[in-house]
Amino acid sequence: MANEKTTHWSDILKRRLANSTRKDEKKAEETELFTKYYSEWKAGSNRDSSYKKIPRFYYRLPAEDEVLLQKLREESRAVFLQRKSRELLDNEELQNLWFLLDKHQVPPMSGEEAMISYEAYLKVGEKAGPKCKQFFTARVYGKLLHSDPYGRISIMQFFNYVMRKVWLHQTRIGLSLYDVAGQGYLRESDLENYILELIPTLPQLDGLEKSFYSFYVCTAVRKFFFFLDPLRTGKIKIQDILACSFLDDLLELRDEELSKESQESNWFSAPSALRVYGQYLNLDKDHNGMLSKEELSRYGTATLTAVFLDRVYQECLTYDGEMVTQSFINREVLVANDNDSNSALDLDDP
């Protein structure tokens, strides 16, 4: 009886061992097939060499002590931006484009505007050169097509569209030159350098003394950062700068015939900056460059309560208990956009 039990269990063990061996063989076969097919896939079956390896898509930014790598990165970015700048239309090419559009206009006129059909539009695109190719597409034509009964678009609207696109690309390249980190945003110091070097190109600021430049730059920069950096990260995306109207207002100062009314309503104008500076000086009785609670209490009609002032100084940037210039300018930025004096003193850390 004992021998029968022993034989019985030994048979069971043999069968299990045999099954285990077959499983191992099957697993080895599966592994061999997987390796074969994976190797063929990785090699791309000789169809495309790009399948042979995954391209590198991440490059670590150089550290501060890696001077050579930083210089190489700066130089490569500068070359890239120069190449992008050469791809844009210059004044002569824009003038040539206008002559071609005017030559191919299709009558009748729509009011006082010259019009162009899609067929003539494509002909101009062929003659305008490779730089203009991106503007002569069905998508662009469709965007500018409105209610013309002949299916035409306005030559002036199309030309203004091209001008605006060229200006946006030029401005983006100009701002990118000040993007030290190369990550698509400007820090406060970067934007300060941009505006400081922009001042000599703005005829409406010719009368400013150089000693006033620092305050003017601070005044201009605060508007950008107050509205475009609400979380106070200390940096602004270049795309956000281009998307808002602030840069348009700043570059409006290139107009030598800008009216007095336009200057008064423009935050970046010389009269506006001088007004803010005058208010600050009038409040700063001890001339230490900062405002105490007592000095700020005289603002406007001197109706600010002590409780309100305490709360303001808890929120704004101070030094030795006194408000710094940036916080005061933040307040003036809000006043320029909202006449409600209660909400205007919502001062945040710049």
Side-chain angles (χ1 to χ4, degrees):
M1 193 70 176
N3 291 336
E4 290 180 1
K5 290 184 178 180
T6 303
T7 303
H8 173 70
W9 285 108
S10 64
D11 291 341
I12 292 176
L13 289 174
K14 287 179 180 178
R15 285 196 298 270
R16 288 188 177 180
L17 183 60
N19 291 336
S20 177
T21 303
R22 284 195 294 271
K23 287 181 179 178
D24 291 341
E25 292 175 352
K26 188 175 182 180
K27 186 175 181 181
E29 184 181 356
E30 290 176 351
T31 303
E32 184 180 354
L33 289 173
F34 172 79
T35 304
K36 175 185 176 182
Y37 293 132
Y38 175 76
S39 299
E40 291 178 357
W41 170 81
K42 189 175 180 180
S45 300
N46 297 322
R47 290 178 300 170
D48 192 332
S49 60
S50 65
Y51 292 159
K52 293 182 179 179
K53 62 179 181 179
I54 299 175
R56 185 176 179 180
F57 57 88
Y58 172 75
Y59 294 86
R60 178 183 60 86
L61 292 177
E64 293 183 0
D65 57 342
E66 296 175 327
V67 180
L68 186 60
L69 289 178
Q70 286 186 343
K71 292 294 183 182
L72 176 62
R73 188 167 183 271
E74 291 175 6
E75 185 65 22
S76 62
R77 286 187 66 250
V79 171
F80 171 76
L81 293 174
Q82 289 174 4
R83 185 171 71 250
K84 286 296 182 183
S85 181
R86 289 194 295 268
E87 292 175 0
L88 300 177
L89 297 173
D90 56 30
N91 291 334
E92 183 177 349
E93 289 167 328
L94 285 170
Q95 188 175 16
N96 180 56
L97 175 61
W98 174 255
F99 288 149
L100 286 172
L101 289 170
D102 186 60
K103 182 179 179 180
H104 288 79
Q105 61 176 285
V106 176
M109 297 182 66
S110 177
E112 297 182 355
E113 291 192 18
M115 310 295 285
I116 187 171
S117 66
Y118 186 65
E119 291 77 10
Y121 169 83
L122 293 178
K123 289 180 182 178
V124 173
E126 293 174 357
K127 297 179 180 179
K131 287 186 180 181
C132 297
K133 185 177 180 180
Q134 59 178 315
F135 302 114
F136 289 88
T137 63
R139 182 185 294 273
V140 173
Y141 192 90
K143 286 180 179 179
L144 301 176
L145 182 62
H146 296 299
S147 57
D148 183 71
Y150 302 100
R152 303 167 302 169
I153 62 172
S154 167
I155 289 177
M156 180 59 70
Q157 287 183 4
F158 173 71
F159 189 72
N160 287 339
Y161 170 83
V162 174
M163 289 279 289
R164 179 66 177 175
K165 280 286 187 179
V166 171
W167 178 85
L168 282 173
H169 286 298
Q170 286 176 340
T171 308
R172 180 164 188 171
I173 292 172
L175 289 170
S176 297
L177 291 172
Y178 294 85
D179 177 13
V180 178
Q183 297 296 296
Y185 61 78
L186 296 182
R187 300 169 302 175
E188 190 164 345
S189 59
D190 300 332
L191 190 57
E192 286 176 352
N193 292 333
Y194 172 75
I195 294 178
L196 183 61
E197 296 185 16
L198 190 66
I199 290 177
T201 69
L202 305 176
Q204 291 297 332
L205 301 180
D206 287 344
L208 290 181
E209 297 289 339
K210 289 190 175 180
S211 58
F212 185 69
Y213 280 8
S214 60
F215 186 88
Y216 175 83
V217 170
C218 180
T219 304
V221 169
R222 288 321 310 156
K223 180 157 188 175
F224 283 96
F225 272 84
F226 190 86
F227 288 104
L228 302 182
D229 184 27
L231 300 179
R232 304 299 178 252
T233 61
K235 57 187 180 182
I236 306 175
K237 288 183 178 179
I238 292 178
Q239 286 183 339
D240 292 341
I241 296 176
L242 294 173
C244 74
S245 63
F246 300 157
L247 201 58
D248 291 333
D249 295 339
L250 178 60
L251 297 179
E252 186 182 36
L253 302 179
R254 288 177 174 173
D255 186 359
E256 297 182 2
E257 300 179 357
L258 192 64
S259 65
K260 185 177 180 180
E261 292 76 13
S262 297
Q263 291 188 51
E264 291 294 336
S265 61
N266 191 329
W267 171 261
F268 302 101
S269 67
S272 176
L274 290 170
R275 175 183 56 78
V276 175
Y277 186 62
Q279 289 180 340
Y280 191 77
L281 289 181
N282 289 335
L283 293 173
D284 186 17
K285 295 299 181 182
D286 57 6
H287 305 293
N288 68 343
M290 295 180 290
L291 299 179
S292 64
K293 291 182 184 179
E294 181 182 354
E295 290 172 333
L296 186 62
S297 66
R298 294 194 297 271
Y299 178 82
T301 56
T303 57
L304 302 179
T305 65
V307 175
F308 182 78
L309 289 171
D310 289 340
R311 184 66 183 124
V312 167
Y313 277 76
Q314 288 176 358
E315 294 296 325
C316 73
L317 181 64
T318 60
Y319 181 79
D320 285 342
E322 294 192 319
M323 180 184 294
V324 298
T325 309
Q326 290 93 332
S327 294
F328 179 79
I329 296 176
N330 279 349
R331 175 226 162 264
E332 290 299 311
V333 168
L334 275 179
V335 168
N337 291 271
D338 188 352
N339 292 325
D340 186 356
S341 59
N342 290 326
S343 63
L345 273 165
D346 182 17
L347 301 175
D348 290 328
D349 184 6

